[in-house]
């Protein structure tokens, strides 16, 4: 029997690439706005290539691309009738690819945008949405299920309850916006403790915050819970003044509609691979072992993260070696006339 997620985490760090819908949008196969993964049916080859790119770069996990493939979102784009088809196809694509590469297969459910703390009917509705998606994931034989990007911790607790009733390992990650509290005003430590007490196997944070503004909250969570902790920031240069990627501004160019670069003009604010590697090192030093990068992640980020915690994914074969660069390199075969010109490049 291959080791399960918790056994793997007991052995050392595990890498999980996320942010599929962001990357597929950039590649031209998915529409920003609704961010629904219609790509699953319309361009499955693009999704398979993305799974390939992320596993090659070091992801130990293939997540089914079912983020926002829930009833509320599909209704908004008029495709509620395709709900089951999209979920099952995403799961089958991920399952096949995980089997081919010996990686772990994860189901995925997320924030619904239908949850309203004051409306008990919405609690029932989101539970039903999670139940149908979790059942499809169970039917597909997933190794575990990720419940992600919840900014209401109470909605995460409903998702967790559904996953645990299905007897699956649950990785629960909250998404923190500008405030250091969830939308119902719970601290991250209280929220993660509640999730732990309710049976979450891994708790932590994903999306919304970049490495710099996620790290302080991760420290608090790590100190508060006993279960493994997950950390999957977005690769953007958030700061105490602009702690979330939605709140970021770009001093270099203010011409975007609404003046905010989120979500499709964030490129100038992207973390480089060294910043992601630094995050990986710091997180692992705090014994945070479930590591990934969310919306905005490219394969180069995933490789840098994997290498920062001591892994050597297939893509490391092509990690930079500047010693052979014509002008900046040091190799003895290089021409001196070019090396001497290096400062003038
Ligand atoms: Zn994300």
């Amino acid at each position: 029997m291959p080791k399960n997620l918790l056994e793997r985490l007991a052995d050392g760090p595990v890498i999980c690439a996320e942010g599929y819908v962001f990357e597929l949008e950039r590649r031209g196969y998915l529409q920003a706005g609704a961010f629904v993964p219609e790509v699953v049916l319309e361009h499955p080859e693009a999704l398979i290539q993305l799974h390939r790119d992320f596993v090659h770069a070091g992801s130990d996990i293939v997540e089914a691309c079912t983020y926002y493939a829930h009833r509320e979102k599909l209704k908004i784009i008029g495709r509620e009738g395709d709900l089951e088809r999209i979920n099952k196809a995403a799961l089958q694509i991920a399952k096949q690819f995980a089997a081919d590469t010996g990686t772990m297969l994860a189901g995925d459910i997320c924030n619904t945008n239908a949850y309203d703390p004051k409306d008990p009917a919405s609690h029932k509705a989101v539970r039903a949405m999670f139940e149908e998606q979790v059942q499809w994931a169970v039917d597909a034989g997933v190794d575990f299920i990720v419940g992600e990007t919840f900014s209401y911790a109470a909605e995460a607790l409903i998702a967790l309850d559904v996953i645990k009733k299905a007897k699956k390992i649950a990785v629960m990650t909250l998404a923190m916006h500008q405030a250091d509290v969830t939308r119902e005003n719970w601290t991250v430590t209280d929220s993660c403790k509640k999730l732990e007490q309710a049976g979450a196997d891994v708790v932590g944070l994903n999306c919304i915050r970049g490495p710099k503004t996620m790290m302080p909250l991760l420290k608090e969570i790590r100190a508060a819970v006993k279960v493994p902790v997950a950390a999957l920031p977005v690769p953007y240069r958030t700061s105490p003044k602009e702690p979330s990627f939605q709140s970021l501004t770009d001093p270099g160019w203010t011409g975007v509609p609404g003046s905010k670069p989120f979500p499709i003009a964030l490129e100038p604010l992207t973390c480089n691979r060294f910043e992601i590697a630094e995050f990986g090192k710091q997180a692992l030093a705090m014994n945070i072992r479930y590591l990934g990068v969310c919306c905005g992640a490219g394969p180069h980020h995933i490789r840098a993260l994997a290498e920062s915690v001591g892994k050597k994914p297939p893509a490391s074969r092509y990690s930079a070696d500047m010693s052979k660069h014509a002008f900046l390199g040091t190799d003895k075969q290089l021409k001196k006339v070019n090396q001497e010109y290096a400062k003038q490049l």
Side-chain angles (χ1 to χ4, degrees):
M1 279 290 281
K3 288 183 176 178
N4 73 20
L5 174 66
L6 302 178
E7 292 161 338
R8 296 273 298 265
L9 286 167
D11 289 347
V14 171
I15 305 293
C16 181
E18 279 190 353
Y20 296 179
V21 299
F22 245 60
E23 180 61 12
L24 287 163
E25 189 281 331
R26 269 199 300 229
R27 294 184 184 192
Y29 294 102
L30 194 147
Q31 190 169 39
F35 282 115
V36 176
E38 296 171 273
V39 60
V40 170
L41 299 181
E42 291 166 6
H43 285 283
E45 78 289 351
L47 176 59
I48 293 165
Q49 184 61 45
L50 182 63
H51 285 321
R52 183 174 293 126
D53 293 349
F54 278 153
V55 168
H56 179 69
S59 187
D60 299 307
I61 295 162
V62 178
E63 260 184 32
C65 188
T66 53
Y67 180 82
Y68 272 175
H70 54 55
R71 199 168 280 283
E72 184 259 355
K73 272 284 177 181
L74 284 158
K75 200 168 166 183
I76 283 170
I77 61 160
R79 293 193 73 165
E80 211 179 343
D82 289 326
L83 174 74
E84 185 168 351
R85 224 154 58 89
I86 290 182
N87 276 271
K88 286 188 168 173
L91 283 155
Q92 279 315 309
I93 288 168
K95 182 178 186 165
Q96 185 62 54
F97 197 72
D100 291 348
T101 52
T103 43
M104 284 181 279
L105 171 65
D108 181 271
I109 57 174
C110 68
N111 60 308
T112 61
N113 307 310
Y115 179 85
D116 176 350
K118 293 195 184 103
D119 173 17
S122 76
H123 306 177
K124 267 190 155 177
V126 303
R127 178 178 288 273
M129 284 160 59
F130 294 144
E131 282 171 349
E132 57 193 359
Q133 281 195 290
V134 164
Q135 188 57 52
W136 292 320
V138 169
D139 292 345
V142 296
D143 297 309
F144 63 96
I145 297 179
V146 173
E148 58 159 321
T149 327
F150 294 104
S151 42
Y152 284 116
E155 187 182 26
L157 284 164
I158 297 173
L160 172 63
D161 188 51
V162 173
I163 298 169
K164 292 319 290 183
K165 283 202 166 99
K167 300 196 166 33
K168 285 288 171 187
I169 291 172
V171 175
M172 303 304 300
T173 50
L174 300 168
M176 304 303 291
H177 292 273
Q178 292 185 53
D180 282 349
V181 289
T182 63
R183 286 179 70 180
E184 62 263 88
N185 276 316
W186 299 358
T187 65
V188 283
T189 49
D190 279 349
S191 303
C192 287
K193 275 193 205 163
K194 282 189 170 112
L195 287 163
E196 180 182 42
Q197 280 155 16
D201 299 282
V202 179
V203 298
L205 304 178
N206 83 300
C207 209
I208 309 294
R209 291 193 176 212
K212 283 214 175 91
T213 53
M214 184 179 275
M215 191 52 89
L217 297 179
L218 291 169
K219 275 187 191 146
E220 292 178 24
I221 295 169
R222 184 59 286 180
V225 300
K226 291 194 177 67
V227 292
V229 172
L232 304 95
V234 293
Y236 296 107
R237 291 174 174 165
T238 55
S239 65
K241 217 174 127 232
E242 295 175 347
S244 65
F245 74 157
Q246 286 96 341
S247 66
L248 281 173
T249 53
D250 179 1
W253 203 69
T254 50
V256 280
S259 81
K260 288 284 171 70
F262 176 87
I264 52 170
L266 285 163
E267 289 83 0
L269 309 166
T270 307
C271 294
N272 65 41
R273 55 191 87 183
F274 301 102
E275 292 169 274
I276 295 301
E278 186 57 35
F279 177 82
K281 272 187 213 139
Q282 283 178 16
L284 187 61
M286 288 158 52
N287 198 27
I288 294 174
R289 296 186 174 191
Y290 187 104
L291 297 165
V293 186
C294 205
C295 302
H300 65 306
H301 290 125
I302 301 303
R303 177 175 61 188
L305 181 67
E307 290 179 348
S308 78
V309 296
K311 291 171 180 273
K312 203 167 184 282
S316 290
R317 154 86 176 81
Y318 305 105
S319 287
D321 175 7
M322 289 299 288
S323 71
K324 291 181 172 42
H325 188 276
F327 292 81
L328 304 170
T330 51
D331 192 285
K332 285 200 176 77
Q333 300 168 80
L334 296 171
K335 274 193 180 300
K336 237 188 154 107
V337 63
N338 292 333
Q339 289 171 313
E340 284 167 3
Y341 192 72
K343 282 199 179 120
Q344 292 173 71
L345 285 174

